[in-house]
């Protein structure tokens, strides 16, 4: 039973570029949430996808967008990268049908913006 | 928006000593969850509390949810080096908000 998988594990970009991060949820899960975790900080909620739609959104600008596919996998896109976007991006999956608030996290994508 | 604060921010303890972290929310929570993140790792779910005043135990860990459902605590008895990491509380429905975390260092 595969857990939550994220790719790539590490990424280096320069300011102004665009990036796409990918996430496959745990088997049986249908909801994907994305978090940004700066060094030494707690995870900050970006948004949540369910039934291929953005259901909840945190306090992040429109440069952050996402998508969920019919197989429940998800992408996070960040446009016009800023130095401050450097962080660990975590994907978490959960099940709407069962213990929906219990989050299973992937290992994350470490994004460095130079 | 909802804010979840934790104290202390850091805690160094001698192995065998007890440890407690406190979590306070600016709003009433429908539930509280606790996660542990090892250095270089990702948050791992520990437990969820739902009822007002609820207390749950997992071996040396005791979790409490406040009567007003706005605060919670995690107590570790007789810490071990394997307890090292950052402990986060988190609450909310759909939009799960994480606390600021308490980083625990255990000195052998």
């Amino acid at each position: 039973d595969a857990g939550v998988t994220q790719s790539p594990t590490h990424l280096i970009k320069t300011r102004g570029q665009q990036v796409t991060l990918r996430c496959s949820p745990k088997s049986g899960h249908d909801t994907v949430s994305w978090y940004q975790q700066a060094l030494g900080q707690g995870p900050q909620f970006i948004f949540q996808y369910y039934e291929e739609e953005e259901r909840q959104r945190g306090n992040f600008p429109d440069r952050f967008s996402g998508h969920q596919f019919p197989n429940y996998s998800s992408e996070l896109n960040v446009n016009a990268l800023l130095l401050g976007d450097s962080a660990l991006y975590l994907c978490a999956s959960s099940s709407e049908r069962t213990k929906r608030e219990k989050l299973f996290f992937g290992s994350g994508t470490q994004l460095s913006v130079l | 928006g909802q804010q979840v604060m934790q104290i202390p921010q850091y805690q160094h303890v001698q192995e065998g000593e007890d440890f407690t972290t406190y979590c306070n929310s600016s709003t009433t929570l429908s539930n509280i969850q606790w996660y542990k993140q090892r250095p270089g790792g990702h948050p791992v779910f520990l437990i969820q509390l739902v009822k007002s005043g609820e207390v749950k135990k997992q071996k040396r860990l005791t979790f409490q949810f406040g009567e007003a459902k706005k605060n919670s605590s995690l107590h570790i008895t007789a810490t071990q080096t394997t307890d090292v990491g950052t402990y986060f509380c988190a609450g909310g429905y759909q939009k799960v908000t994480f606390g600021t975390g308490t980083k625990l260092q255990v000195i052998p």
Side-chain angles (χ1 to χ4, degrees):
Chain A
D1 179 20
V4 180
T5 58
Q6 291 187 245
S7 63
T9 54
H10 295 85
L11 205 51
I12 299 175
K13 293 285 187 178
T14 56
R15 281 179 299 174
Q17 285 190 311
Q18 176 264 345
V19 68
T20 298
L21 310 181
R22 296 175 175 81
C23 171
S24 292
K26 179 179 167 63
S27 178
H29 284 185
D30 53 12
T31 304
V32 173
S33 301
W34 286 93
Y35 287 82
Q36 179 195 66
Q37 187 175 28
L39 192 63
Q41 306 294 318
Q44 298 294 310
F45 179 84
I46 303 176
F47 41 53
Q48 184 185 77
Y49 276 84
Y50 173 67
E51 292 190 333
E52 302 179 47
E53 298 216 344
E54 182 182 292
R55 178 162 68 174
Q56 291 280 354
R57 189 176 182 93
N59 189 26
F60 279 80
D62 292 345
R63 297 187 297 109
F64 289 77
S65 63
H67 190 78
Q68 186 179 33
F69 299 94
N71 67 352
Y72 308 120
S73 66
S74 177
E75 287 182 350
L76 163 64
N77 300 293
V78 187
N79 293 322
L81 284 167
L82 303 174
L83 296 179
D85 294 331
S86 295
L88 178 66
Y89 288 84
L90 294 162
C91 168
S93 73
S94 55
S95 171
E96 182 69 17
R97 291 183 298 276
T98 58
K99 296 180 181 180
R100 51 196 171 189
E101 292 88 9
K102 178 179 178 179
L103 301 175
F104 289 80
F105 282 87
S107 298
T109 294
Q110 185 66 54
L111 173 65
S112 297
V113 182
L114 306 178
Chain B
Q2 179 184 67
Q3 291 188 337
V4 183
M5 305 295 292
Q6 285 181 250
I7 54 169
Q9 188 176 3
Y10 301 97
Q11 183 84 60
H12 293 91
V13 299
Q14 205 72 34
E15 188 173 18
E17 291 183 337
D18 291 358
F19 159 77
T20 303
T21 173
Y22 299 91
C23 171
N24 289 284
S25 171
S26 59
T27 60
T28 301
L29 299 169
S30 57
N31 67 84
I32 194 83
Q33 302 170 51
W34 284 91
Y35 292 80
K36 176 183 178 181
Q37 186 172 21
R38 294 181 188 274
H42 57 275
V44 175
F45 176 86
L46 294 177
I47 206 161
Q48 177 176 279
L49 306 171
V50 179
K51 300 176 183 176
S52 169
E54 188 171 11
V55 178
K56 285 189 176 181
K57 291 189 176 184
Q58 285 182 350
K59 297 182 180 178
R60 295 179 295 105
L61 278 61
T62 302
F63 304 85
Q64 233 173 340
F65 200 7
E67 293 292 340
K69 301 184 80 173
K70 293 183 71 175
N71 63 304
S72 180
S73 65
L74 158 60
H75 179 81
I76 302 178
T77 303
T79 54
Q80 301 174 359
T81 55
T82 53
D83 296 326
V84 165
T86 301
Y87 292 85
F88 292 101
C89 63
Y93 169 63
Q94 293 182 356
K95 182 181 176 181
V96 177
T97 300
F98 278 71
T100 49
T102 296
K103 186 173 183 178
L104 173 64
Q105 189 61 260
V106 179
I107 305 162

